[in-house]
Amino acid sequence: DLALSSKDNGWATPQQTFDELNHEFRFTLDPCASDENAKCDKYFTERDDGLIQDWSNEVVFMNPPYGKLISKWIEKAYNESLKGAIVVCLIPARTDTRYWHSFIFPYAQIRFLKGRLKFGGSKNSAPFPSAIVIFDKNK
């Protein structure tokens, strides 16, 4: 199942989860997308490198790659929120990690999800709990 491949660290967002959040936030940018799975009309692929792009005037839905670079994406989300972006992140609830303590606990709203999500077309639930993390300097 490509959606669960540890090789690409891509965990395709469950459509219902995205739809519920999009109803609340009205997203304008997906910075961690591919041409096949983009959730917004405006999106960045790996080629575009969302980490170097400007998100400051956007309402962002971010389901980052869950590998070693996730901390860079969380730091980017926080920094872009300081410039005016609202960034809603779907990430593993790995609350013992440095990026949770450096950026999420002090600055973000956190919604822990009940149960385990089924990503993409997977038959099985993820092997980790998930959370919605919201960076919005106005809240």
Side-chain angles (χ1 to χ4, degrees):
D1 181 5
L2 187 61
L4 301 182
S5 166
S6 60
K7 195 170 64 182
D8 69 4
N9 293 308
W11 291 76
T13 304
Q15 191 62 46
Q16 181 179 349
T17 302
F18 175 80
D19 290 344
E20 290 169 5
L21 290 167
N22 191 43
H23 181 76
E24 179 179 353
F25 291 97
R26 302 287 178 220
F27 297 117
T28 61
L29 173 65
D30 180 349
C32 303
S34 69
D35 292 326
E36 296 76 36
N37 72 10
K39 296 291 184 193
C40 300
D41 289 338
K42 182 175 182 180
Y43 64 93
F44 300 133
T45 66
E46 198 172 345
R47 284 183 317 278
D48 302 317
D49 190 356
L51 287 171
I52 63 170
Q53 303 294 331
D54 177 30
W55 310 353
S56 59
N57 295 314
E58 305 289 348
V59 181
V60 180
F61 174 76
M62 185 178 85
N63 179 3
Y66 288 1
K68 289 182 167 75
L69 289 180
I70 192 169
S71 62
K72 300 275 187 219
W73 288 101
I74 296 300
E75 184 175 1
K76 172 72 170 176
Y78 166 71
N79 286 329
E80 291 296 319
S81 75
L82 297 179
K83 299 191 300 185
I86 296 170
V87 186
V88 179
C89 313
L90 171 60
I91 60 171
R94 294 190 179 122
T95 59
D96 58 334
T97 57
R98 193 173 292 135
Y99 63 87
W100 270 82
H101 289 266
S102 297
F103 298 105
I104 295 172
F105 288 129
Y107 305 113
Q109 299 170 49
I110 304 163
R111 300 177 187 174
F112 292 104
L113 299 180
K114 184 177 180 181
R116 304 263 171 120
L117 291 179
K118 288 186 179 177
F119 287 89
S122 176
K123 295 177 184 69
N124 299 315
S125 298
F128 49 81
S130 297
I132 304 299
V133 172
I134 304 158
F135 291 100
D136 181 351
K137 72 174 184 177
N138 298 312
K139 293 203 175 173

